[in-house]
């Protein structure tokens, strides 16, 4: 399904063919962890969001280059360079083989959609299929709900059996955290989705 995402609007994802709208996984996470960025200066927040977008784009290009699609991006300057080093260290040590990169999926029954960073194998083609998501910020409990409660139940990602967040650091190091199939994470995500649907039904802003 070809989905369009418009950040900042209610139900950020839309299917252009049917005009049907879907909640984004990000909208659900904001309900679950509303104070994640409380107290952060707006200018600092904007810069961090821009840096995060740049890193996700770089990560996508790195993954595609591993499949022989395009050239590996050049190492960027500044803080981004350290995160790039972490990505390349991860690629060398875990040898990801992507099946999909930045491919949106939808859960039509529950009315939400999302775009994980990659669906891939690790250590070559051996073993299980993973869903991975890149993170450049702090580790937060809500990330388990994102991967296990949200992404795991998207069409196209149900065949993945393992889920993890890849936390890159400006020092060039990374931390790879696997999220187990925890029922609490799924229940927590569904609770956030229920809050969003309840607000619509009851016309509560």
């Amino acid at each position: 399904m070809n989905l369009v995402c418009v950040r900042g609007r209610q139900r950020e994802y839309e299917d252009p063919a049917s005009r049907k709208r879907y909640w984004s996984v990000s909208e659900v996470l904001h309900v679950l962890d509303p104070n994640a960025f409380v107290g952060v200066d707006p200018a600092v927040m904007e810069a961090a969001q821009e840096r995060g977008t740049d890193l996700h784009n770089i990560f996508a290009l790195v993954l595609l280059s591993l499949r022989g699609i395009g050239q590996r991006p050049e190492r960027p300057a500044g803080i981004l360079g350290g995160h790039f080093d972490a990505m390349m260290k991860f690629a060398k040590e875990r040898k990801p083989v992507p099946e999909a990169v930045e491919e949106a999926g939808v859960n039509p029954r529950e009315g939400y959609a999302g775009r994980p960073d990659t669906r891939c194998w690790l250590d070559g083609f051996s073993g299980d299929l993973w869903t991975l998501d890149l993170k450049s910020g702090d580790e937060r409990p809500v990330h388990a709900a994102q991967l296990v409660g949200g992404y795991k139940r998207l069409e196209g990602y149900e065949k993945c059996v393992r889920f993890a967040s890849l936390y890159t650091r400006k020092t060039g190091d990374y931390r790879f955290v696997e999220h187990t199939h925890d029922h609490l994470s799924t229940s927590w995500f569904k609770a956030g989705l229920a809050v969003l649907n309840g607000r619509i039904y009851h016309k509560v802003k």
Side-chain angles (χ1 to χ4, degrees):
M1 181 183 293
N2 182 29
L3 297 173
V4 174
C5 182
V6 179
R7 294 299 183 192
R9 73 177 181 184
Q10 194 176 69
R11 290 195 173 113
E12 292 180 331
Y13 278 96
E14 181 176 339
D15 175 8
S18 66
R19 310 301 294 180
K20 183 174 177 58
R21 297 264 291 273
Y22 301 92
W23 298 111
S24 70
V25 169
S26 296
E27 288 176 284
V28 178
L29 298 186
H30 182 69
V31 171
L32 302 182
D33 196 8
N35 298 318
F37 304 107
V38 168
V40 179
D41 183 272
V44 173
M45 185 64 194
E46 183 178 355
Q49 289 175 331
E50 182 177 343
R51 183 168 64 248
T53 299
D54 291 341
L55 286 172
H56 278 79
N57 290 337
I58 292 170
F59 188 51
L61 292 174
V62 168
L63 290 170
L64 290 171
S65 71
L66 295 175
R67 292 303 302 264
I69 303 173
Q71 298 294 317
R72 191 186 78 185
E74 296 292 329
R75 183 184 189 276
I79 293 176
L80 295 181
H83 288 278
F84 178 82
D85 292 341
M87 293 178 200
M88 297 312 301
K89 183 178 181 180
F90 167 75
K92 180 179 180 180
E93 293 178 352
R94 296 306 307 268
K95 300 178 178 59
V97 179
E99 181 187 70
V101 176
E102 294 279 353
E103 182 179 285
V106 64
N107 184 319
R109 181 177 179 181
E110 296 185 35
Y112 75 91
R115 192 183 302 274
D117 286 323
T118 185
R119 185 171 68 237
C120 69
W121 292 273
L122 294 180
D123 307 312
F125 279 103
S126 64
D128 300 320
L129 194 60
W130 292 73
T131 295
L132 299 187
D133 209 60
L134 179 74
K135 308 290 185 187
S136 58
D138 296 332
E139 298 178 29
R140 301 187 70 85
V142 75
H143 296 158
Q146 177 186 17
L147 271 290
V148 177
Y151 290 162
K152 179 179 185 290
R153 299 180 305 116
L154 296 174
E155 289 183 347
Y157 291 86
E158 61 271 83
K159 58 185 176 180
C160 294
V161 296
R162 302 181 78 174
F163 304 84
S165 294
L166 173 63
Y167 298 93
T168 60
R169 307 300 183 209
K170 62 182 180 181
T171 58
D173 296 315
Y174 73 87
R175 179 168 156 78
F176 184 83
V177 178
E178 182 174 4
H179 305 294
T180 59
H181 297 191
D182 177 54
H183 293 302
L184 177 59
S185 295
T186 301
S187 297
W188 193 19
F189 185 88
K190 287 184 175 182
L193 195 60
V195 170
L196 291 173
N197 288 324
R199 288 174 181 171
I200 290 290
Y201 183 80
H202 295 289
K203 298 181 174 59
V204 176
K205 294 184 178 180

